[in-house]
Amino acid sequence: MRLINLDKISNTRLKLALTYLSIIMVLFVSFSIIFYQASTANLQIKVIGGPEALVGTGTLSPPPDFTNQPSVTSTSPSDDQKMLQVPPLNQDEITKLNSKLEDTFAKLKVNLRNQLIILNVIALVAGAFISYYLALKTLQPIELAMDAQERFTADASHELRTPLAIMQAEIEVVLAKKELSLARAKAALESNYAEVGRLKSLSEGLLDLTKAPLTSKDFKELKLNKLVTEAINRVVKLAQIKDITIDDQLPKIIINAEGSSLTQALVILLDNAIKYSPEGSVIQISGSVENKTAYLNIEDQGIGIKPNDLPHIFERFYRADTARNQANNKGYGLGLSIAKQIVDQHSGKLSVVSSAKKGSTFTINLPVSDHHRGASKRNEQT
Ligand code: ADP
């Protein structure tokens, strides 16, 4: 699979490089032909003789009086005319002069042609390197995207396989039994039910990650506090089960947001704070506005995140070992990547500060709305 993609990419890279090279060479060859023709257009001078002397085809004019002009000089009486002044010549001399001129012009043409050919060969070699480099650069983002997609598909299939394998094994065990007690059947169904739930949440997570990006039409002026209250309401039952207190101290902040997705990001952060906190602990929600940016902090007193896990926790499917080992925390490592994607779409930033065994603080930075800025200015004035 990977090999096929690599083959496809290197073929495409080669094709693109050849296209670039053809464009470069068409330009170079056309330029060379035009340059050659323009440069050799004037190399057709012929001495005609006679007292009117001497004329090149088209561009040379006879001198006014050459009998008293013993030397050959060239001047430019006008832009497109050149004048050649020579002493009087007999027919033989004129023929010799003409054949010499022809020879010289022929040599000049051959020289020019050779130089242009060499220049084109150099352009071909240099162009090949440049074209390959350009093709490499052009395809790089596509290769990265393909890599990411492949990794995503591989990770997703891997995660899907585990619950499916568990369900299959359970069913096989049940089917292999000649006699099945009601209790055994119920236990198998319960286990399968739990795995189906996991599969459902995994597929929902995958769908969330592939949702179409938000557009400016989706954004509205909203109170961040309202979204936080809504998110708390959604997780409050989970907090109650562990006797965890959620202390919401967020001041009033107005932002431009898509309400349901930002609430979803908040739910993910609160859900994690509950999942990774001990019973009876407190989750603190606070916030502030500085330099037109709103800061929302969700601070827990949970297991914290080890420094070597911290750089990875926003990656898809990444789970720290501490989380994996907790039997009741059967996440997929998708929550934070979904939350980060949502915050990014709000032109914000999701970050974390954590120390193992002490707790974590997740912070969302969001630009405040113009309305909030106006409101706070009015507050400052009064
Ligand atoms: P999940 O929680 O489903 O494993 P997430 O993407 O939400 O996936 O989180 C990724 C990892 O980050 C978790 O496995 C856990 O190790 C760590 N993590 C997230 N939030 C917290 C938190 N509040 N406290 C401690 N660890 C956390």
Side-chain angles (χ1 to χ4, degrees):
M1 167 82 174
R2 179 84 190 119
L3 277 179
I4 293 170
N5 274 343
L6 277 179
D7 258 12
K8 261 192 194 166
I9 286 191
S10 53
N11 275 348
T12 316
R13 194 185 297 145
L14 214 64
K15 275 187 202 160
L16 195 62
L18 283 175
T19 312
Y20 286 151
L21 185 60
S22 322
I23 295 171
I24 293 175
M25 287 321 294
V26 166
L27 288 175
F28 245 89
V29 171
S30 315
F31 172 76
S32 303
I33 292 171
I34 293 168
F35 182 76
Y36 179 81
Q37 284 187 339
S39 310
T40 54
N42 284 340
L43 298 182
Q44 295 173 17
I45 301 161
K46 238 185 182 173
V47 179
I48 295 172
E52 300 84 13
L54 262 200
V55 189
T57 51
T59 54
L60 289 181
S61 307
D65 174 13
F66 48 70
T67 46
N68 299 321
Q69 309 284 333
S71 60
V72 177
T73 53
S74 173
T75 57
S76 299
S78 74
D79 275 353
D80 57 354
Q81 279 197 325
K82 292 191 181 104
M83 188 179 286
L84 214 59
Q85 297 179 332
V86 293
L89 303 168
N90 62 34
Q91 197 51 45
D92 252 13
E93 285 169 326
I94 288 173
T95 317
K96 269 189 193 164
L97 192 60
N98 273 338
S99 91
K100 258 195 172 177
L101 274 174
E102 263 171 35
D103 275 1
T104 314
F105 290 158
K107 272 184 196 158
L108 275 175
K109 281 182 185 177
V110 171
N111 271 350
L112 185 63
R113 201 169 51 215
N114 288 345
Q115 279 172 3
L116 285 174
I117 288 172
I118 291 171
L119 197 72
N120 274 278
V121 172
I122 293 172
L124 182 71
V125 176
F129 282 108
I130 293 170
S131 304
Y132 191 75
Y133 175 77
L134 287 179
L136 213 72
K137 282 272 157 210
T138 314
L139 290 179
Q140 214 168 36
I142 300 169
E143 278 179 55
L144 286 178
M146 276 177 77
D147 267 0
Q149 198 187 9
E150 255 178 46
R151 238 180 308 126
F152 179 66
T153 314
D155 288 344
S157 339
H158 180 262
E159 295 295 336
L160 281 168
R161 228 173 30 204
T162 314
L164 286 173
I166 295 172
M167 285 167 71
Q168 193 182 24
E170 287 274 1
I171 293 168
E172 273 170 11
V173 170
V174 169
L175 288 179
K177 289 216 183 291
K178 286 211 175 109
E179 280 179 18
L180 187 65
S181 68
L182 186 63
R184 183 71 189 86
K186 267 195 164 181
L189 280 176
E190 268 165 19
S191 159
N192 277 1
Y193 183 73
E195 293 307 327
V196 170
R198 278 166 58 70
L199 280 175
K200 188 166 165 263
S201 76
L202 174 58
S203 60
E204 280 167 359
L206 293 175
L207 272 179
D208 283 338
L209 277 172
T210 50
K211 259 186 195 165
L214 298 172
T215 63
S216 54
K217 273 189 258 158
D218 301 316
F219 286 77
K220 279 194 202 116
E221 268 195 353
L222 294 170
K223 287 181 189 137
L224 188 53
N225 320 62
K226 276 202 168 173
L227 304 185
V228 169
T229 310
E230 201 180 316
I232 293 174
N233 288 340
R234 286 208 219 156
V235 297
V236 75
K237 284 220 168 75
L238 297 171
Q240 278 165 1
I241 292 170
K242 290 179 83 174
D243 195 21
I244 288 175
T245 309
I246 302 178
D247 181 18
D248 179 7
Q249 299 289 338
L250 189 71
K252 185 180 160 192
I253 300 173
I254 300 169
I255 51 161
N256 281 315
E258 198 289 310
S260 67
S261 59
L262 198 57
T263 309
Q264 188 191 357
L266 293 167
V267 168
I268 290 170
L269 297 180
L270 286 172
D271 180 47
N272 276 349
I274 296 167
K275 264 197 306 192
Y276 300 113
S277 288
E279 289 194 4
S281 59
V282 177
I283 295 169
Q284 189 82 45
I285 300 176
S286 59
S288 60
V289 175
E290 285 162 41
N291 296 330
K292 300 171 188 168
T293 304
Y295 293 84
L296 166 70
N297 309 309
I298 299 178
E299 184 180 353
D300 65 50
Q301 301 167 335
I303 58 173
I305 303 162
K306 287 188 199 147
N308 55 328
D309 287 320
L310 266 181
H312 305 289
I313 56 166
F314 295 107
E315 290 169 15
R316 287 168 185 176
F317 299 108
Y318 188 86
R319 307 197 72 215
D321 275 344
T322 38
R324 276 181 202 281
N325 295 337
Q326 294 200 353
N328 56 338
N329 288 338
K330 293 184 173 178
Y332 281 98
L334 286 180
L336 286 182
S337 44
I338 295 170
K340 185 178 178 313
Q341 185 168 302
I342 293 171
V343 175
D344 285 348
Q345 288 185 358
H346 282 78
S347 312
K349 203 176 145 209
L350 175 59
S351 56
V352 61
V353 177
S354 182
S355 49
K357 293 183 187 152
K358 283 194 180 151
S360 313
T361 304
F362 283 83
T363 301
I364 298 180
N365 298 3
L366 290 169
V368 291
S369 87
D370 289 337
H371 187 220
H372 178 92
R373 289 175 212 164
S376 42
K377 265 192 194 148
R378 276 196 300 279
N379 286 345
E380 277 165 23
Q381 280 164 6
T382 54

